[in-house]
Amino acid sequence: MTKTVLYLTRHGQTEWNLQKRMQGHQNSALTALGEQQAEWLRDRLEVENLGAIYSSTSPRALHTAQILRGKRSLPIHQQVSLMEINMGSWEGMNTDQIQLESPLQYSHFFTRPDLYIPLTSGETYKQLEQRAVPTMERIINDNVGLEVLIVTHRMTLKVIMAYFLNKSLQEIGELPDILSTALCKVTLTDNNTTIDLYGDTSHYQ
């Protein structure tokens, strides 16, 4: 029986997370706590025999992946398709302001992803799903029998976990939130997919 193990996480806390600003395809640096969160997860994963590391191309995810890699000599495979959902004109805006100006769309963004429509040039959740899920399938096919680390983003990770949980876009809004460097673990065997961890933060100190 072939066993492939995926460790999936979200980047560490960023400056914009602290300021309650939407990031999407834009970027802000990890905070000191964000780096610390990545170090806590690095220590937790130290005993795992990682065979490959993948990351979103966003600097905040890449920085997190570099910390998580630790002393391993593995390359980090950067994937544009693992970036966060494109939030269009919301990017850089404070969430309180967005809620005030677009309450229904803001609510749909978090609770009813199937109904969410970006106000400007952003992505729908369907478009996010259409780029993230095939990437996951390719990563799995390219790394059969290995333990793989994947560093991505809050909503992208929720979409990916919904795929493994056989949840619809509508049901993504019901999934628990995924905090900074929270760990998800998925074990794939020949006929079975097991969700071992979802958004686990037991490495927090």
Side-chain angles (χ1 to χ4, degrees):
M1 182 179 71
T2 307
K3 183 169 81 169
T4 306
V5 181
L6 307 177
Y7 295 98
L8 305 108
T9 191
R10 176 187 173 190
H11 59 80
Q13 183 197 67
T14 69
E15 299 289 351
W16 279 12
N17 289 154
L18 270 186
Q19 296 164 20
K20 293 170 60 180
R21 294 182 185 279
M22 298 289 243
Q23 291 181 116
H25 280 206
Q26 290 193 46
N27 192 66
S28 70
L30 296 188
T31 61
L33 176 59
E35 291 182 347
Q36 182 77 77
Q37 290 167 335
E39 287 165 6
W40 291 334
L41 184 55
R42 174 199 65 199
D43 294 346
R44 177 179 183 175
L45 294 173
E46 205 168 26
V47 296
E48 308 303 341
N49 184 28
L50 297 181
I53 302 174
Y54 289 81
S55 172
S56 151
T57 50
S58 292
R60 62 189 184 274
L62 202 52
H63 187 183
T64 303
Q66 287 161 344
I67 295 171
L68 294 177
R69 176 167 59 181
K71 295 173 183 171
R72 299 177 181 89
S73 57
L74 294 171
I76 296 171
H77 302 286
Q78 298 183 42
Q79 308 288 311
V80 174
S81 47
L82 289 176
M83 286 179 78
E84 182 59 294
I85 188 169
N86 185 334
M87 299 171 190
S89 61
W90 283 3
E91 295 187 1
M93 281 179 66
N94 184 280
T95 53
D96 294 338
Q97 186 185 353
I98 295 168
Q99 266 182 294
L100 204 62
E101 293 177 4
S102 315
L104 185 62
Q105 282 310 99
Y106 185 81
S107 173
H108 285 167
F109 183 81
F110 290 103
T111 62
R112 283 298 302 269
D114 55 313
L115 299 180
Y116 169 71
I117 300 165
L119 297 176
T120 53
S121 57
E123 285 179 294
T124 64
Y125 274 85
K126 190 71 190 169
Q127 288 169 318
L128 171 59
E129 183 185 60
Q130 285 169 343
R131 65 171 162 87
V133 168
T135 299
M136 288 308 306
E137 291 172 340
R138 180 169 50 76
I139 289 171
I140 291 164
N141 290 334
D142 288 349
N143 297 279
V144 173
L146 297 181
E147 295 183 27
V148 183
L149 173 65
I150 296 152
V151 184
T152 181
H153 303 266
R154 184 185 189 183
M155 297 309 174
T156 306
L157 187 46
K158 286 187 83 169
V159 165
I160 290 167
M161 292 308 294
Y163 162 71
F164 287 124
L165 289 161
N166 289 316
K167 300 279 188 186
S168 66
L169 277 184
Q170 179 179 337
E171 293 172 302
I172 289 173
E174 299 162 15
L175 292 176
D177 197 10
I178 296 175
L179 302 177
S180 303
T181 75
L183 187 63
C184 299
K185 181 183 178 185
V186 180
T187 302
L188 305 152
T189 56
D190 301 333
N191 313 309
N192 209 13
T193 299
T194 308
I195 311 299
D196 302 303
L197 295 170
Y198 179 101
D200 186 83
T201 56
S202 58
H203 51 282
Y204 278 20
Q205 291 174 25

